[in-house]
Amino acid sequence: MKHQARKRFGQHFLTDQSILDQFIGHLRPRPDDTVVEIGPGLGALTGVLLRALPHLHVVEIDRDLAKRLREGQWAKRLTVHETDVLEFDYAAIEGRFRVVGNLPYNISSPILFALLNHADRVIDQQFMLQKEVIDRMVAEPKTSDYGRLSVMLQAYYHMEHLFDVPPECFDPPPRVMSAIVHMEPKPAADRALIPHAVFARIVSAAFSQRRKMLRNTWDGVVPMALAEEVGIAPTARAEEISSDRYVALAQKLAEQAN
Ligand code: SAM
């Protein structure tokens, strides 16, 4: 029976074989890789992944789709985690793993932020997302796309915008352009130096009013003398500061608190 795409789950199913081939060409899965696919849907990507992998973990919220996967042709080679990925416990996966998926666009940022907590065990991530979100992820300072998402993710990952995917490659077609991003966590030693809570707090505060000068947005949050020590001028605006500089400031603040 044909599955009726559910809007609330962001269901747009990939139908273009050449996009799947390109996705796999970049991912280059190896038989001993542990791979988690978020949102397998009708299995377009799942099937291509299973050509290279003996086994795959899939996380799917839609009861009907999860049932199809549990009962379908790949049943024995899949571990189907029928749950909301935002509640998924990655502890269910052993060892280090790779994460892939054509993500539900309405919750792509929360999925990315949740995965930040698992960067120690993640080998890499390769996702199809709304192109506009990927543009923001990889944006350079002083551009209109540069924001909280750019600063937070650039601190933890090397990221590459691989290629764009037009709406007609899906059924039903989404209203927006899509793209593929590859993300690799930076070395553990570098990530360990980021005081996460402080970093997240100052970045959120900075971008709460991105056009204002930081001496105003950070009033009561960051002493400007400390910001100046890492080369951030009181008159600078949030979008002018590189991710590295926010990290350096978070480190100073954290040191001062100890
Ligand atoms: N991978 C398939 C493809 O490329 O054709 C489907 C991609 S579709 C854009 C997104 C998939 O994520 C759907 O299967 C949808 O049911 C699933 N999904 C949506 N929200 C989810 C959630 N919170 N947790 C897990 N899966 C979710």
Side-chain angles (χ1 to χ4, degrees), residues 38 85-88 90 99 103 106-120 122 125 127 129 133 136-137 147-157 159 183 196 199-201 203-204 207 243:
I38 298 173
V85 67
L86 296 178
E87 280 161 26
F88 179 60
Y90 288 90
V99 193
L103 298 186
N106 50 342
I107 53 165
S108 54
S109 294
I111 293 174
L112 295 171
F113 278 111
L115 277 164
L116 268 180
N117 301 320
H118 304 282
D120 276 337
V122 166
Q125 304 174 176
F127 296 129
L129 289 169
V133 174
R136 289 199 274 125
M137 290 162 72
R148 175 173 167 254
L149 194 68
S150 334
V151 174
M152 294 301 295
L153 295 182
Q154 287 173 20
Y156 289 91
Y157 302 94
M159 293 184 285
M183 309 169 69
H196 185 81
F199 176 56
R201 185 159 51 81
V203 174
S204 286
F207 284 96
S243 183

Side-chain angles (χ1 to χ4, degrees), residues 129-193:
L129 289 169
Q130 205 171 322
K131 177 177 170 353
E132 182 218 300
V133 174
I134 297 183
D135 287 343
R136 289 199 274 125
M137 290 162 72
V138 303
E140 304 271 349
K142 299 184 189 166
T143 63
S144 58
D145 284 333
Y146 189 72
R148 175 173 167 254
L149 194 68
S150 334
V151 174
M152 294 301 295
L153 295 182
Q154 287 173 20
Y156 289 91
Y157 302 94
H158 294 294
M159 293 184 285
E160 192 184 354
H161 171 179
L162 296 179
F163 60 94
D164 294 342
V165 185
E168 57 270 23
C169 297
F170 303 85
D171 179 28
R175 289 221 188 95
V176 293
M177 192 73 174
S178 303
I180 311 280
V181 67
H182 186 263
M183 309 169 69
E184 194 176 318
K186 289 188 172 174
D190 295 347
R191 283 184 286 105
L193 296 175

